[in-house]
Amino acid sequence: MEYRYGIGVSPGVAIGPALVLDTEGVLIPHRTVPPDQVEGEIARLGRALEETAAVARDDRERMTARLGPALGNIYAAQQSMLEDRVVRTQIEARIRSESYSAEYAVSRVIRDFVRRLEDYGRRLGDHGAAEARRRATEFIDLERQVLAALLGHPTDPFGNLTEPVVVLANDLMPSDTADFGPRTVRAFATESGGNTSHTAILAGALEIPAVVGIGRFLTDVSGRDTVIVDGGEGVLIIDPDEDTLARYELKRARLLSRPDRYEHLRDKPSVTRDDVPVAIRLLGNIELAPEAAHCLDRGAEGVGLYRTEFLYLNKSSHPTEEEHFAAYTSVVNTLGPNRPVVIRTLDLGADKFSSVSGAVAGEKNPFLGLRSVRLCLYDRDLFKTQLRAILRAALHGDVRVMFPMISTIDELRQCKALLNDVKEDLEDAGIPFKSDVPVGTMIEVPSAALLADVLAREVDFFSIGTNDLVQYTLAADRNNEHVANLYNPTDPAVLRLIRIVVQAAQKEQSKRPFEVNVCGEMSGEPLYVPLLVGLGLRQLSATPRKIPEIKRVIRELRVAEAKDVADRALSMETASQVSSYLRDYLRKILPSEGVD
């Protein structure tokens, strides 16, 4: 039994068989077989090893002919490992002694080799460790090939599931998680990643327990091993003993049976405790159309951020205009005509790729490249398809359109001009649409924050995307655990930029109706709510399950006190000072909540 610790990004406890995605999603169907099938497994193993060795021989001959013996010898080494009697004998011994399936025995023996290699390499210093990692990679690739031969070269890791699994991977792209659901995946854990990665956001939205940023652990686990994920505590437990398994089964049952402790607040107003209460509008962030119902269940007043890129994931072609339209109208119909639905246009690129984003897939620095609205302006047909569907869906309710990652006024004006072109096209074609859809922009990069007064004159609302704003302000990749200490929403530089944006919005509000919202993970954390209200925010958008907890904080706030909190935070020099101060304040207004 091994405990591994990381960042809990979606609460809950899950227990189940591991699906290790570093072997290209190969799912081991059985851990053990009946005793009378052992010899059959030995025979299957022999055939798979011979098939894989034959492929390696062919590869060696082909690469030698093309590129010479030096490169051909790479495949000779792999062929040698496959034909090594020591490797084969150890795998056969596991099958006979433990009644392991051929697949599980291959995975277990090779991972034991990898672990011993890495331990040995660490004792030899940097050079030895590097060589050990190289050899370990060769063994993992060998495992992948043999498992593929045993299982008939499967390509869909979820295609033949007989029970839900716990997915383990180095990292996951949103496209990897697009098919996750209770019937396929109970939880996931990754070596890399941070608490604001889009994969983590999706896990929270689907309410799947998840832990990220654990560090290296995949070589210590095989497919079908029993694992436990505790997303609340940020713990992954590999091969738990019976006592641990029983303890977590009890904890899981208790969590599932516990009613939402803030459920009684669902229909109560989100207002402060002032003599004249100040209303703070709470909206939901969603990725998938069915999540609109979650917003209503948790007391949200609408959708403040509909991330539409998930329509593009796991598809071999662009979604059609009708697919867009169906998704948007589904959300509007669920919420009703009077609740707002803010649709963010396509935000592919950076850490979100799909089969239709080939133009950006090879970029060396995708976070600073052709992503988000830049990709839309690069592929205008793609952009126009989405805009047409948004304008058509707006006839059914309070739909608003929002452009992400605007960094210059020229970009925003190009987007607005394209929107006007689409309106003209629809009008010429006689297709009904709503012409006066409110237009907003996200504030996600420092340039947009500093130009907020200029941008405000061009749009109807702002939405501050704190996840990207933090990482671009502090030059710290939010998915990189090595710089996690730098990524902090309470850094004074970030707070000053938020204040600039809010002040620009307030100036515009003095002339006309104008809204400013926060839709990043910062708005979904109770710790930051007094600060945001004190900075002047009167609208917050968060993952639906966070909304009751946020409402609880708001109903204990007084605006004057919140302004004092913001002023004090802005006077501090470090993020740690601000975070400590905010924790103390939250304990003061919620003494019974046990604030961490």
Side-chain angles (χ1 to χ4, degrees):
M1 180 172 68
E2 295 187 44
Y3 281 75
R4 297 301 177 92
Y5 298 92
I7 304 166
V9 294
S10 184
V13 169
I15 303 168
L19 169 58
V20 184
L21 285 186
D22 74 326
T23 54
E24 287 197 352
V26 173
L27 176 64
I28 295 173
H30 304 289
R31 180 169 177 164
T32 60
V33 296
D36 61 354
Q37 293 182 18
V38 165
E39 290 306 316
E41 293 300 290
I42 297 288
R44 290 180 63 235
L45 171 68
R47 289 192 295 271
L49 290 174
E50 289 165 9
E51 176 188 334
T52 312
V55 171
R57 282 194 298 272
D58 291 343
D59 289 342
R60 175 189 179 185
E61 292 171 4
R62 188 173 65 254
M63 295 304 291
T64 299
R66 284 181 56 198
L67 301 171
L71 290 176
N73 283 339
I74 294 173
Y75 297 90
Q78 197 166 61
Q79 175 191 339
S80 175
M81 285 190 288
L82 286 161
E83 295 174 342
D84 190 332
R85 283 300 307 172
V86 173
V87 174
R88 181 167 182 162
T89 298
Q90 289 196 22
I91 297 172
E92 289 177 351
R94 290 290 186 97
I95 295 173
R96 287 196 169 95
S97 65
E98 306 286 346
S99 293
Y100 283 163
S101 69
E103 294 88 352
Y104 188 74
V106 166
S107 182
R108 192 67 274 157
V109 168
I110 289 180
R111 296 210 169 226
D112 286 346
F113 273 127
V114 168
R115 183 187 294 192
R116 290 198 295 272
L117 265 173
E118 292 182 338
D119 289 343
Y120 179 68
R122 280 191 287 270
R123 294 196 295 271
L124 296 179
D126 292 344
H127 177 74
E131 176 63 17
R133 283 194 297 271
R134 184 186 69 78
R135 292 283 293 165
T137 300
E138 291 176 356
F139 271 106
I140 292 295
D141 187 50
L142 184 69
E143 176 195 16
R144 177 186 61 79
Q145 293 180 62
V146 178
L147 289 178
L150 282 165
L151 295 169
H153 305 275
T155 57
D156 180 4
F158 305 108
N160 297 308
L161 288 179
T162 57
E163 63 178 319
V165 295
V166 176
V167 172
L168 307 178
N170 172 260
D171 198 5
L172 292 167
M173 292 293 101
S175 55
D176 297 321
T177 64
D179 294 325
F180 282 15
R183 287 178 291 183
T184 56
V185 177
R186 290 177 178 163
F188 70 78
T190 63
E191 294 181 328
S192 305
N195 59 3
T196 60
S197 65
H198 281 85
T199 303
I201 292 169
L202 183 59
L206 297 179
E207 302 188 0
I208 295 175
V211 180
V212 302
I214 294 172
R216 290 176 64 82
F217 70 85
L218 291 177
T219 55
D220 299 331
V221 62
S222 292
R224 302 300 305 184
D225 279 354
T226 297
V227 294
I228 299 172
V229 171
D230 186 335
E233 299 296 326
V235 176
L236 168 69
I237 304 172
I238 300 168
D239 196 19
D241 59 29
E242 290 185 8
D243 289 344
T244 303
L245 200 57
R247 188 169 74 252
Y248 274 91
E249 287 280 14
L250 185 62
K251 181 176 181 178
R252 179 176 178 272
R254 190 167 61 246
L255 288 172
L256 290 174
S257 64
R258 188 184 72 184
D260 191 326
R261 58 179 170 167
Y262 302 119
E263 188 176 6
H264 65 286
L265 296 177
R266 187 183 70 177
D267 299 320
K268 293 185 180 296
S270 178
V271 294
T272 63
R273 295 188 65 182
D274 296 273
D275 293 337
V276 179
V278 175
I280 310 296
R281 195 178 205 184
L282 295 181
L283 305 171
N285 295 342
I286 67 172
E287 281 77 25
L288 307 169
E291 292 176 76
H294 297 178
C295 294
L296 295 180
D297 292 342
R298 304 299 171 88
E301 298 179 52
V303 169
L305 173 63
Y306 182 2
R307 298 180 174 102
T308 58
E309 55 273 8
F310 290 94
L311 290 168
Y312 293 77
L313 301 178
N314 286 353
K315 291 180 68 70
S316 58
S317 60
H318 299 338
T320 65
E321 181 180 328
E322 292 308 314
E323 288 175 311
H324 280 284
F325 178 73
Y328 305 154
T329 52
S330 172
V331 173
V332 172
N333 291 338
T334 298
L335 293 177
N338 299 318
R339 290 187 177 92
V341 178
V342 179
I343 300 176
R344 183 178 73 183
T345 58
L346 179 61
D347 188 21
L348 281 179
D351 60 341
K352 301 189 292 293
F353 291 99
S354 83
S355 57
V356 302
S357 58
V360 299
E363 289 190 312
K364 293 182 178 179
N365 195 344
F367 280 96
L368 299 180
L370 191 65
R371 62 164 294 198
S372 195
V373 77
R374 300 170 182 177
L375 176 62
C376 290
L377 291 172
Y378 173 84
D379 188 343
R380 299 196 171 203
D381 289 338
L382 178 102
F383 200 11
K384 284 184 174 182
T385 297
Q386 181 173 29
L387 293 176
R388 285 170 62 95
I390 292 172
L391 291 173
R392 290 172 55 204
L395 283 175
H396 299 269
D398 185 3
V399 171
R400 308 169 188 194
V401 62
M402 179 167 66
F403 302 122
M405 203 183 164
I406 294 293
S407 56
T408 70
I409 190 70
D410 286 337
E411 280 182 328
L412 178 57
R413 287 173 177 165
Q414 287 180 61
C415 292
K416 291 174 63 181
L418 205 62
L419 183 63
N420 287 332
D421 289 345
V422 169
K423 291 178 183 179
E424 291 179 5
D425 291 343
L426 289 170
E427 188 169 7
D428 291 344
I431 298 173
F433 70 98
K434 186 176 181 180
S435 62
D436 58 344
V437 171
V439 175
T441 183
M442 293 195 73
I443 306 294
E444 298 179 277
V445 297
S447 63
L450 294 171
L451 283 172
D453 58 333
V454 178
L455 295 173
R457 296 196 291 268
E458 299 277 337
V459 294
D460 302 301
F461 63 93
F462 283 159
S463 194
I464 304 172
T466 54
N467 300 346
D468 271 336
L469 184 62
V470 173
Q471 79 166 349
Y472 286 122
T473 301
L474 301 176
D477 181 355
R478 67 189 187 186
N479 300 319
N480 187 335
E481 68 272 19
H482 300 298
V483 294
N485 61 311
L486 295 175
Y487 184 96
N488 196 318
T490 59
D491 191 276
V494 175
L495 301 187
R496 293 181 188 189
L497 288 176
I498 293 175
R499 179 177 61 177
I500 288 171
V501 176
V502 174
Q503 288 175 341
Q506 289 172 337
K507 182 179 178 182
E508 198 65 26
Q509 285 168 355
S510 67
K511 308 171 190 174
R512 63 186 176 101
F514 190 93
E515 295 180 355
V516 57
N517 177 46
V518 176
C519 63
E521 289 299 287
M522 192 176 183
S523 61
E525 290 299 325
L527 183 68
Y528 307 132
V529 171
L531 171 64
L532 294 173
V533 172
L535 285 169
L537 273 304
R538 299 294 179 263
Q539 185 168 291
L540 305 175
S541 188
T543 301
R545 64 182 174 82
K546 291 279 193 177
I547 288 173
E549 195 173 0
I550 299 306
K551 186 181 290 188
R552 165 77 167 123
V553 177
I554 289 169
R555 288 174 62 85
E556 295 298 325
L557 281 180
R558 287 184 170 84
V559 170
E561 285 186 14
K563 287 180 178 177
D564 288 341
V565 168
D567 289 342
R568 286 197 61 183
L570 285 162
S571 71
M572 294 176 179
E573 297 178 348
T574 68
S576 60
Q577 289 174 332
V578 176
S579 296
S580 178
Y581 170 61
L582 294 179
R583 280 192 291 271
D584 288 343
Y585 182 76
L586 198 57
R587 290 190 190 100
K588 174 185 171 183
I589 64 171
L590 297 174
S592 63
E593 299 297 326
V595 179
D596 294 329

